[in-house]
Amino acid sequence: MKDFNFDSGIERRNTGCVKWDEPIGDIDMSDMIPMWVADMDFETAPVVMDAVMKRAIHGAYGYTIVPDSFYDAVINWWQRRHSVTWRKEWILYVPGVVPAISAILKALTLSGEKCLIQTPVYNCFFSSIRNSGLEANMSPLRRKDLSPREFTYEVDWADFEERAADEKTTVFLLCNPHNPSGRVWTRAELEKMLEICNKHNVRVISDEIHCDLTMPGIEYTPLSAIDADNTVTCCAPTKTFNIAGLQIANIVCADFETRRRINRAVNINEICDVNPFGVAALQAAYNEGEPWLIALQSYLHENYLNLKAWMAVNLPDCPVARLEGTYLVWVDVSRITKDDRLFCHRLLRSQHVWFNEGQMYGKDGKGYIRINIACPRRQLMEALKRLAAGVKTGSPA
């Protein structure tokens, strides 16, 4: 396997980077370590860089046609990596997964209906639901402690079905792998979710953007592998290959009438065009990027193990969620602070380290923080040292 050097990282300050250059009031950002927004501090795969540079050299960047080779790359990747068979006509290209979710919600619901979600959950779900005129019907995940220092989450099936049975609940927005808990739902769990939703005529929309970022021994199951006809999948190579700024994603829907309605919403909301660099990058990533991804998965797993070991010694009162997928680690800080939002803000000021407060992900996120470990190991360890220093000095309260 080719050696990819993830330890070297890349300088992102002063490049117009949201993660590194976003100002926060009067806080000095010059030595800030950002461990928040979900992108990686690694160069993308060399094959992707080559494809983008080759396209850039052409010099004309007008409106682009999405070729058959684009669809072939998507279909072959999902068949090879995830053993699921898609057809070209099922695929609708869009600039991103969040715009896709919003368009799908507008296509399949009426204002005033409810959208079922499992909290804590990705914060943009709340805005997409709200902007679509819907009410968030929140089914809290049930925490399960595995040891004093490790926990995970399970579905509260009684609560999930009760909320699905609500006559105003018409859609279920699934996150798989789940952000921020790190769960990768098992096939049995997904089958039960679908059984309940089908029983109560609830359509299922699945955000699977983190699907390729799983830990060793963890098997990800595409929802469409279980039921392609009654589900809609949103996916992209953007998290996997750190190319979110190139704005490329796909909606996959097998049912013709549902897809027709979604396609109409995509056009009404004017998210039907993509840029030539995203098209080129996706094809390079899916056709040639697998060796880089395999190396990345190994590096992320080592980062996770390092974080767990360090937390056990230095902050043993802060249990860590078992990470099955994504590069986002969910940490319980409720024993060392009464307010995760204030805690993160004071760490920003006193230690110049930036984590996401748990309450971003709904009320069930209170008492937690989210840490992005997709960075060189030295950066991760320095961020953790700053976290401990902030706790030790008493600056976070």
Side-chain angles (χ1 to χ4, degrees):
M1 184 189 301
K2 185 176 178 179
D3 182 33
F4 299 99
N5 184 8
F6 296 103
D7 281 321
S8 61
I10 184 172
E11 180 57 59
R12 303 187 69 192
R13 281 193 176 92
N14 303 313
T15 62
C17 170
V18 168
K19 185 176 183 180
W20 286 82
D21 295 331
E22 180 81 10
I24 315 172
D26 61 350
I27 297 176
D28 180 9
M29 302 296 291
S30 61
D31 67 341
M32 180 67 66
I33 300 181
M35 307 294 287
W36 63 295
V37 68
D39 67 9
M40 298 190 281
D41 292 323
F42 307 127
E43 289 184 342
T44 187
V47 293
V48 175
M49 287 191 285
D50 290 345
V52 171
M53 288 188 283
K54 181 179 178 181
R55 182 64 185 84
I57 288 170
H58 179 261
Y61 315 129
Y63 300 116
T64 192
I65 291 174
V66 175
D68 286 344
S69 56
F70 174 95
Y71 299 97
D72 292 340
V74 174
I75 291 167
N76 292 337
W77 176 267
W78 282 78
Q79 177 64 59
R80 185 172 69 252
R81 292 280 302 179
H82 306 303
S83 301
V84 63
T85 301
W86 290 346
R87 299 178 183 174
K88 174 186 174 182
E89 60 268 24
W90 295 0
I91 302 170
L92 303 173
Y93 56 81
V94 286
V97 164
V98 172
I101 289 170
S102 294
I104 296 165
L105 290 176
K106 291 180 176 70
L108 303 183
T109 65
L110 297 173
S111 180
E113 293 179 343
K114 295 182 181 180
C115 176
L116 176 60
I117 51 176
Q118 298 167 306
T119 54
V121 74
Y122 178 43
N123 54 296
C124 285
F125 279 14
F126 294 97
S127 56
S128 289
I129 291 168
R130 182 176 60 252
N131 294 339
S132 300
L134 305 175
E135 179 184 341
N137 193 359
M138 295 174 277
S139 180
L141 294 171
R142 179 187 292 151
R143 173 168 161 164
K144 178 182 179 181
D145 289 326
L146 303 173
S147 75
R149 297 193 180 96
E150 186 178 43
F151 63 97
T152 188
Y153 285 95
E154 299 176 330
V155 179
D156 182 336
W157 292 110
D159 183 82
F160 183 86
E161 178 149 21
E162 181 180 348
R163 294 178 185 278
D166 184 332
E167 64 178 11
K168 293 183 70 177
T169 299
T170 54
V171 288
F172 166 42
L173 184 50
L174 170 67
C175 194
N176 181 42
H178 189 272
N179 171 13
S181 77
R183 276 300 316 274
V184 177
W185 304 113
T186 65
R187 186 180 186 96
E189 287 171 318
L190 294 172
E191 287 175 345
K192 191 165 183 178
M193 292 177 199
L194 284 169
E195 178 185 357
I196 291 170
C197 288
N198 288 337
K199 176 182 175 181
H200 298 289
N201 297 312
V202 175
R203 294 175 181 263
V204 184
I205 306 161
S206 187
D207 174 357
E208 305 192 6
I209 196 170
H210 289 280
C211 64
D212 291 302
L213 299 166
T214 52
M215 295 292 108
I218 301 298
E219 183 177 355
Y220 151 78
T221 301
L223 195 65
S224 64
I226 302 172
D227 187 352
D229 293 330
N230 297 305
T231 61
V232 182
T233 297
C234 300
C235 59
T238 49
K239 298 297 184 190
T240 307
F241 291 93
N242 202 30
I243 54 173
L246 297 183
Q247 297 187 312
I248 192 74
N250 292 294
I251 299 169
V252 183
C253 179
D255 180 70
F256 173 81
E257 178 57 26
T258 303
R259 189 171 65 250
R260 184 193 67 78
R261 291 175 62 181
I262 293 171
N263 190 45
R264 180 64 177 155
V266 164
N267 282 271
I268 289 172
N269 291 279
E270 297 178 339
I271 58 165
C272 49
D273 291 318
V274 291
N275 72 77
F277 298 104
V279 173
L282 178 144
Q283 292 178 81
Y286 281 168
N287 289 335
E288 305 175 77
E290 199 161 3
W292 181 88
L293 172 58
I294 292 170
L296 170 70
Q297 288 176 301
S298 177
Y299 191 87
L300 292 175
H301 183 238
E302 287 297 319
N303 270 4
Y304 167 58
L305 295 180
N306 274 266
L307 178 145
K308 278 211 309 179
W310 189 94
M311 293 289 289
V313 172
N314 296 278
L315 290 173
D317 288 333
C318 297
V320 176
R322 182 176 63 191
L323 186 65
E324 298 175 349
T326 81
Y327 46 72
L328 306 165
V329 179
W330 191 237
V331 178
D332 179 356
V333 294
S334 61
R335 295 179 188 172
I336 61 173
T337 180
K338 296 179 180 178
D339 188 335
D340 55 276
R341 184 174 290 131
L342 180 61
F343 178 80
C344 288
H345 181 72
R346 290 185 176 177
L347 283 171
L348 276 169
R349 285 198 169 277
S350 68
Q351 302 299 323
H352 289 189
V353 63
W354 190 349
F355 304 114
N356 283 131
E357 64 269 17
Q359 291 180 70
M360 284 182 62
Y361 309 98
K363 63 181 181 179
D364 299 300
K366 185 177 181 180
Y368 297 83
I369 62 171
R370 194 188 76 169
I371 303 176
N372 180 347
I373 63 169
C375 61
R377 199 155 296 136
R378 66 182 184 278
Q379 178 179 319
L380 171 62
M381 302 316 293
E382 175 61 25
L384 294 176
K385 289 177 184 177
R386 295 188 188 190
L387 169 61
V391 173
K392 184 176 182 181
T393 60
S395 51

